[in-house]
Amino acid sequence: MKFKIATLAALATLSVGAGAQNITGAGATFPNPIYSRWFSEYSGSHPGVKINYQSVGSGAGIRQVSQKIVDFGASDGPMTDQQLSESKVKLFHIPTVLGAVVPVYNLPGVNKELNFSPEVLAGIYLGQINHWNDPRIARDNPGVNLPDHQILPVYRSDGSGTTYIFTDYLSKVSPDFQSRIGRATSVKWPVGIGQKGNEGVAGMVRNSQFSFGYVELIYAEQNHMSFGQVKNSSGKWVKASTDGVTAAAAAAIKTIPADYRVSITNAPGPNSYPIASFTWLLIPQHFDDANKGKVMVDFLRWMLQHGESEAASMTYAPLPKPVADRVAQTINQIH
């Protein structure tokens, strides 16, 4: 009888252990709204599983997963070859959704939606355009009465995938920006004020008249902020939308490498929104804890089968089907 009771107790313990699992992740703020929703929904339908995600920025996410501080990371900028080689664990880049970075502004007295050419966006952050009534801004916005007031540029102070996407775009369209600042998750800005996270930049711009910044689209939408159209590589003014991001992704599908590390900023095509990007989960190929590996694989399959359908309602673009099919094969290599 004692043996039977002990055996039943052991089986119960094993059952709870297999079902109860805490997984930690950290990284990009750009996809945090949809990741928070996905992790909550997945945990709700899988009792005992809890996925704790900290939106601390892409740079911190890369560092923490590389040092095995967290179980997975997240980034809007792909890791460099050097970062991958220095990681304590072999990592896969798993694309999840696509999003857009938009120029936001707080300009009292101007109700018309503004246009921003690539030259103006680079000029503001190079310190070459410092007043709202600069002739180059006026040229993009005929008929708009722009104030003679200094621009307050706002940028990310933390290591940021959103900064990577924005500087990647500006480096492609402005040789001066590329040589003086360049693309990275963290750069040395010559002008402006830094804020932490998409939340911090959105808050600073919303509360500071005559300011200008860059955030992920959903942060502009959620905070009811003004954001402008951007001239794309075909010379067309385009406002950020899931359709525009999808068009940019479609133009780049044939160039996506096996490890998914690709830039789609300044994509060709008249409908492509030019400041767009994939965002990635950084997943170890091998988990020391086999149960964590099983849960992570199950979550990623759930994401493809259920989560992707929720992307558009949150202003993200879902993965194109050819990319989702490839990701499903990559997930099979995780254990």
Side-chain angles (χ1 to χ4, degrees):
M1 184 65 180
K2 288 183 178 179
F3 174 78
K4 186 176 180 179
I5 293 174
T7 301
L8 290 173
L11 288 173
T13 301
L14 286 172
S15 177
V16 171
Q21 193 66 69
N22 291 329
I23 294 180
T24 60
T29 64
F30 178 100
N32 182 46
I34 194 165
Y35 284 178
S36 296
R37 179 170 174 175
W38 283 352
F39 296 148
S40 176
E41 290 181 354
Y42 182 82
S43 296
S45 60
H46 295 74
V49 175
K50 183 177 181 181
I51 302 178
N52 178 27
Y53 179 73
Q54 299 296 318
S55 59
V56 292
S58 296
I62 289 172
R63 184 172 60 256
Q64 291 189 26
V65 72
S66 296
Q67 296 175 356
K68 302 180 73 170
I69 296 172
V70 292
D71 299 310
F72 69 92
S75 178
D76 308 320
M79 293 174 67
T80 65
D81 290 343
Q82 181 176 350
Q83 287 173 325
L84 285 172
S85 67
E86 292 174 351
S87 174
K88 292 180 178 179
V89 58
K90 182 178 180 180
L91 295 169
F92 283 143
H93 285 68
I94 302 294
T96 54
V97 292
L98 301 101
V101 175
V102 299
V104 291
Y105 54 92
N106 182 340
L107 200 53
V110 174
N111 298 319
K112 188 177 184 300
E113 186 175 86
L114 297 183
N115 299 322
F116 297 99
S117 62
E119 301 78 35
V120 165
L121 293 174
I124 290 174
Y125 280 95
L126 285 167
Q128 298 168 344
I129 296 177
N130 48 41
H131 277 73
W132 278 105
N133 64 344
D134 185 283
R136 287 163 286 190
I137 301 179
R139 180 192 59 201
D140 292 344
N141 298 280
V144 178
N145 186 23
L146 296 164
D148 181 13
H149 199 286
Q150 191 167 1
I151 301 171
L152 173 62
V154 184
Y155 58 81
R156 288 283 293 275
S157 59
D158 52 330
S160 156
T162 307
T163 293
Y164 181 88
I165 298 166
F166 193 56
T167 59
D168 179 56
Y169 168 69
L170 293 180
S171 293
K172 288 182 180 179
V173 298
S174 169
D176 195 14
F177 187 93
Q178 182 178 26
S179 64
R180 291 180 54 191
I181 298 178
R183 63 173 65 78
T185 54
S186 181
V187 298
K188 187 175 182 180
W189 299 101
V191 293
I193 183 170
Q195 294 292 311
K196 189 174 182 180
N198 270 290
E199 302 92 336
V201 172
M204 186 71 190
V205 172
R206 193 176 63 248
N207 294 316
S208 304
Q209 292 186 342
F210 306 105
S211 59
F212 183 90
Y214 59 91
V215 297
E216 206 281 330
L217 175 58
I218 193 170
Y219 290 88
E221 295 276 13
Q222 288 181 339
N223 289 286
H224 307 293
M225 303 177 74
S226 298
F227 62 96
Q229 299 188 116
V230 180
K231 184 183 284 185
N232 68 15
S233 62
S234 297
K236 183 178 177 182
W237 296 109
V238 182
K239 190 165 186 178
S241 67
T242 55
D243 288 344
V245 173
T246 299
I253 279 182
K254 293 182 179 178
T255 65
I256 297 175
D259 63 5
Y260 305 107
R261 291 187 295 163
V262 65
S263 164
I264 63 169
T265 57
N266 205 36
N271 298 319
S272 296
Y273 181 72
I275 319 178
S277 178
F278 286 96
T279 187
W280 299 266
L281 286 175
L282 306 173
I283 307 293
Q285 181 179 15
H286 170 74
F287 282 79
D288 295 337
D289 184 330
N291 282 335
K292 285 188 177 181
K294 289 178 182 177
V295 171
M296 201 74 242
V297 167
D298 188 65
F299 165 75
L300 292 172
R301 289 173 176 156
W302 177 93
M303 176 192 76
L304 292 179
Q305 294 168 0
H306 303 284
E308 290 293 319
S309 63
E310 301 174 345
S313 67
M314 300 186 72
T315 71
Y316 297 97
L319 295 178
K321 188 176 185 308
V323 178
D325 290 344
R326 283 177 52 184
V327 169
Q329 297 302 312
T330 304
I331 292 171
N332 290 335
Q333 301 176 49
I334 299 170
H335 53 88

